[in-house]
Amino acid sequence: MGFDQLVPAPDLAAKGKSPFPGETAEYRKARQALLREEIEFRRQMTRLVELRRSLPDGPVIEKDYRFKDANGNEVGLVELFGDKQTLVTYFWMYGPERARPCPMCTNWLGAVNGNAADIKQRVALKILGRSPVERQLAFAQERGWRDLDFVQTVGDGYARDLGLINADGSENPALGVFKRDGETVRLFWASEITMEMADPGQDPRDAPDIASLWSILDLTPEGRGTDWYPKLSY
């Protein structure tokens, strides 16, 4: 069904009702207006997903980037696919100069770990880092992550080409999706939202937001807050 054939959002929103008695007319009016926006937002997300999936072929990855897997074997990008046609990668901020990983990367990976076994039924999923793979695995064991596959980038060519190492040596995270055609690897999609694209008072983030932490806090009266950030321990 095309979007022009969908039932108008206000008509669907009119079907909403609270599971609890005692709501005021003011609450119902505001909640119905919000429900209308939620339905429109859901449809916009669906449009966005369809636009992403219909992207034309991305650039061929010509460079022979090298990686070291959990077994200590040096492999190329195409070998990270395994038996899958699509590879999802996340470059996390845990370079050799860091005493501990980035707290936000850690938070995100903790949530992804809970879904990794399911995700890997559909696509390959690799977590890339500049620290030795043994160091990454040690931290994963500390956190109880059992379903994430960590890979070390050999040298800094990959990170530098993607703009993930800043002039001061600090790092940026990156989510990237690749697809393969035989031995040819192409970029399918990579996040391009950068700091200068952030709206006032907000961190730059993808749309939709891929961090379940923020998605859940967005459901609350307090929201994300402006003076709080996740930590490695509490």
Side-chain angles (χ1 to χ4, degrees), residues 26 37 43 66 104 106 114 118 135 164 176 189 225 228:
E26 180 185 21
E37 294 296 328
R43 290 175 174 176
R66 308 302 294 175
M104 191 62 230
T106 301
D118 295 315
R135 188 174 188 233
L164 306 181
W189 174 91
W228 180 86

Side-chain angles (χ1 to χ4, degrees), residues 11-18 23 28 32 35:
D11 294 350
L12 293 180
K15 301 176 184 293
K17 59 181 180 179
S18 172
E23 69 178 10
R28 176 45 38 197
Q32 186 169 319
L35 181 56

Side-chain angles (χ1 to χ4, degrees), residues 41-56:
F41 180 56
R42 181 191 68 199
R43 290 175 174 176
Q44 179 59 28
M45 286 195 296
T46 301
R47 294 186 187 97
L48 187 150
V49 169
E50 292 181 355
L51 285 171
R52 183 184 294 119
R53 291 175 61 188
S54 64
L55 283 169

Side-chain angles (χ1 to χ4, degrees), residues 43 50 55 81 124 164 187 206 218-219 230:
R43 290 175 174 176
E50 292 181 355
L55 283 169
F81 284 76
L164 306 181
L187 175 69
D206 292 303
D218 281 346
L219 299 174

